[in-house]
Amino acid sequence: MPDTFGKSALLLSLILGMGSAPAYSAASTTEAALASAHGIPHPAVIAHRGASFDAPESTAAAYTLARDLGADYLEMDLQRSKDGVLFALHDNSLLRTTDVAKKFPQRKDSPASAFTLAELKTLDAGSWFNHAYPDRARSSYVGLPILTLDEIIDIAQGNPQHKPGLYIETKEPRQFPGLEHDLKNKLSERGWLEPVASSEAQGQPQVGQGKGRVMLQTFDKNSLELLQKEMPGTPKILLLWVGEGSITPEISLSFADSGEKDKAAYYSKQHPKDKAEFINWIDFAKASGAIGTGPSAALTHGGEQSYADLIQPWMNTATHDRGMLVHVYTLDEPVDFKKAMDAGVDGIFTNRASELLKFYQRPSTQSVSQLLENNGY
Ligand code: G3P
Ligand code: CA
């Protein structure tokens, strides 16, 4: 099956004339052709919450920087405000990345979804970054607001030289019944569920204009099925990790009971229960309409984003054998970019789009500082 699919995908991509050979690719031409047939760059640079190493995550500073660096996709975690507006925020709580404790002390522990958009817009979603990362702090980050999906779409469309796509995660979808339907309506209203007409795109469409301009992602099986029902023609991936709500671990032991010194050490010892358990999850992804998976990875230097290693070569081969792509989250260092590419992944979620673009030999001609300053930061 994979070879047959690969050949037809290659033929289709040649007919469509989409995509060009990347400067770096450890994966086979079969996966490159498969990605191209879906209109997805290969390998793909997915700017995780924007260029969030250099600017406060999910703010205009991070998304405009990722766009202008040349990232293929702007990644976001989608939530819905109390009055029904779609907005981007990773955490359920506002405490880590905003001044909610100062502005709404009585409600500081409420989920973000318990606030109206007008209330969310009063929050400062930038200053926390300056305190957490003083070496990357900028006075212009103070007061940056939370963004709506509409505003992120405006950013994605805002640079005539480079139009990235959107890589949208339904975050905690059980908290938001109907989120998939609301997302479909918004993307449809903004004209993002169809490729841009070739006359408007003037020649070969950019990522944010072609058929892979929107990628949908979720950890939640039910949400994947709802996304498929609402947007059957839009590429989707199933996010994977080892733990509650996802792949069953070999040994069920909480971090507290594990005796490990940090979460990275704990996760590095987490494995799927067995091979069949991993295969069941990728088979589910395929049967539910996903064109790929988004597995976690163990980072060489640990840290908060280091999870179970789900990009072992046999895992990537099993996924490829089913005609699916692998987009791994979340890698920031060249040592991990290389390990992942050598293991056969097809794209990387990164907080450091500037570094991944360099690694793929697609560096921005302007520095991070220059681009931030160009955008008024
Ligand atoms: O969406 C890919 C990756 O972002 C999943 O992890 O927790 O950063 O959303 P998280
Ligand atoms: Ca995410």
Side-chain angles (χ1 to χ4, degrees):
M1 182 178 81
D3 279 344
T4 309
F5 187 82
K7 278 175 194 143
S8 56
L10 179 59
L11 185 62
L12 182 59
S13 70
L14 290 173
I15 292 167
L16 296 174
M18 295 193 69
S20 52
Y24 184 101
S25 178
S28 79
T29 53
T30 304
E31 279 69 54
L34 174 60
S36 183
H38 288 299
I40 301 165
H42 190 276
V45 176
I46 305 155
H48 185 244
R49 310 177 202 169
S52 57
F53 177 87
D54 296 296
E57 65 187 58
S58 309
T59 65
Y63 285 124
T64 52
L65 175 58
R67 176 197 67 194
D68 296 346
L69 281 164
D72 297 316
Y73 289 101
L74 308 183
E75 194 264 354
M76 76 197 75
D77 306 289
L78 195 68
Q79 302 200 40
R80 188 173 58 206
S81 68
K82 187 178 174 188
D83 52 340
V85 182
L86 300 180
F87 67 95
L89 189 76
H90 177 266
D91 298 5
N92 194 30
S93 159
L94 291 157
L95 280 167
R96 180 178 64 90
T97 59
T98 78
D99 58 349
V100 67
K102 193 170 104 193
K103 301 248 174 72
F104 298 95
Q106 309 298 324
R107 297 164 64 199
K108 67 181 171 50
D109 296 314
S110 300
S113 55
F115 291 75
T116 63
L117 182 69
E119 289 170 337
L120 292 170
K121 281 289 188 184
T122 66
L123 298 175
D124 171 357
S127 290
W128 73 273
F129 181 93
N130 289 349
H131 297 127
Y133 308 109
D135 52 324
R136 284 169 252 153
R138 287 177 182 254
S139 57
S140 55
Y141 292 162
V142 174
L144 286 176
I146 286 173
L147 296 179
T148 63
L149 173 58
D150 258 323
E151 289 167 328
I152 299 172
I153 291 174
D154 290 341
I155 289 171
Q157 295 176 162
N159 177 350
Q161 267 69 53
H162 180 68
K163 295 188 183 299
L166 303 172
Y167 212 121
I168 306 172
E169 177 179 353
T170 51
K171 181 58 71 181
E172 305 206 28
R174 282 163 204 270
Q175 218 191 107
F176 301 108
L179 184 70
E180 297 81 4
H181 185 68
D182 293 352
L183 175 58
K184 190 265 293 280
N185 286 345
K186 176 54 69 182
L187 291 172
S188 174
E189 175 197 318
R190 294 297 304 259
W192 270 68
L193 287 183
E194 300 293 333
V196 169
S198 56
S199 53
E200 228 180 291
Q202 294 177 342
Q204 185 170 309
Q206 300 180 46
V207 183
Q209 298 177 313
K211 60 184 282 213
R213 62 195 310 212
V214 175
M215 292 283 299
L216 302 171
Q217 46 159 343
T218 184
F219 282 101
D220 188 286
K221 284 179 162 180
N222 185 55
S223 187
L224 176 62
E225 291 173 331
L226 291 172
L227 289 169
Q228 177 68 2
K229 184 168 155 253
E230 294 288 346
M231 293 169 271
T234 303
K236 294 157 208 81
I237 67 157
L238 180 63
L239 297 165
L240 300 174
W241 78 303
V242 175
E244 195 184 338
S246 194
I247 296 174
T248 305
E250 189 178 24
I251 300 164
S252 247
L253 194 63
S254 69
F255 170 58
D257 293 335
S258 70
E260 296 295 345
K261 62 181 185 327
D262 58 39
K263 285 256 173 96
Y266 167 69
Y267 283 122
S268 72
K269 296 194 175 71
Q270 293 281 77
H271 307 287
K273 187 175 72 167
D274 51 30
K275 194 169 176 179
E277 170 69 4
F278 181 83
I279 298 292
N280 281 342
W281 276 83
I282 58 175
D283 280 343
F284 175 85
K286 177 81 179 175
S288 305
I291 61 91
T293 62
S296 63
L299 306 183
T300 304
H301 298 117
E304 282 178 11
Q305 294 186 111
S306 188
Y307 299 109
D309 177 8
L310 294 179
I311 54 166
Q312 296 165 45
W314 73 265
M315 296 171 167
N316 298 332
T317 300
T319 309
H320 290 155
D321 282 351
R322 286 159 175 75
M324 290 193 291
L325 300 171
V326 179
H327 288 168
V328 60
Y329 68 92
T330 302
L331 314 181
D332 287 347
E333 297 191 35
V335 62
D336 290 319
F337 300 155
K338 179 162 182 356
K339 278 187 194 171
M341 292 309 295
D342 290 346
V345 309
D346 305 294
I348 296 177
F349 291 80
T350 183
N351 303 304
R352 302 195 73 174
S354 58
E355 294 305 306
L356 183 55
L357 286 160
K358 279 182 211 159
F359 178 78
Y360 286 153
Q361 297 171 39
R362 295 167 47 192
S364 167
T365 54
Q366 290 185 285
S367 70
V368 163
S369 286
Q370 284 170 326
L371 291 170
L372 282 168
E373 279 155 33
N374 291 350
N375 287 324
Y377 298 106

